[in-house]
Amino acid sequence: MDITLASAFLPHTDPDATLAFYRDLLGFEVRNDVGFNGMHWITVGSPGQPGTSIVLYPPEADPGHTDDERATIARMMAKGTYGIMTFATKDLDATFERLRAGGADVVQEPADQPYGVRDCAVRDPSGNLLRINEVH
């Protein structure tokens, strides 16, 4: 069986701040940018991974959620406990310093974890937790 990851989804609440973070701060390329009925979907990805994308979507767009569920999602996003993604970089310290200098919400500075990973953590403008692992 040959299965690969094509897209992952993270909610966003502010298209301009989302673009500034993922495009300008992380250096991702914008692959699609679509507005519809006052909502905005932005697809980004690492230039080195053309087959893998992150779709940043308006959480209110999912027709399968009730109003109560949407309210819960909004509270979890505001708290930073809804969306999570892990990235990898060869130079964690340089990546972290770029994020800090760009105003990212720092959750954890670079650290060696007891489970064998050196990583850091930040939140994007919508509160999604992004962990960044150092790879060699």
Side-chain angles (χ1 to χ4, degrees):
M1 190 177 321
D2 184 17
I3 298 176
T4 60
L5 177 64
S7 299
F9 288 72
L10 282 178
H12 81 87
T13 55
D14 180 336
D16 293 332
T18 295
L19 272 172
F21 184 86
Y22 285 92
R23 180 192 58 209
D24 304 337
L25 209 51
L26 287 180
F28 287 175
E29 59 188 16
V30 176
R31 298 188 176 151
N32 206 358
D33 190 343
V34 177
F36 179 72
N37 283 344
M39 294 180 280
H40 208 96
W41 288 258
I42 304 163
T43 303
V44 298
S46 171
Q49 289 183 296
T52 305
S53 296
I54 301 167
V55 180
L56 300 148
Y57 69 95
E60 64 274 12
D62 189 334
H65 290 143
T66 66
D67 289 341
D68 286 345
E69 290 167 334
R70 284 187 186 91
T72 298
I73 289 168
R75 283 193 304 275
M76 290 177 73
M77 286 177 68
K79 220 168 91 173
T81 58
Y82 188 70
I84 300 172
M85 192 159 290
T86 301
F87 298 110
T89 185
K90 291 181 181 174
D91 189 344
L92 182 65
D93 293 317
T95 300
F96 177 76
E97 287 308 320
R98 178 181 169 134
L99 289 166
R100 183 198 325 247
D105 179 11
V106 173
V107 175
Q108 174 210 306
E109 294 191 8
D112 294 319
Q113 301 298 341
Y115 42 87
V117 172
R118 178 171 160 73
D119 72 352
C120 70
V122 298
R123 294 200 194 285
D124 75 5
S126 297
N128 298 303
L129 180 66
L130 307 178
R131 298 203 69 86
I132 305 171
N133 294 344
E134 186 169 65
V135 295
H136 302 280

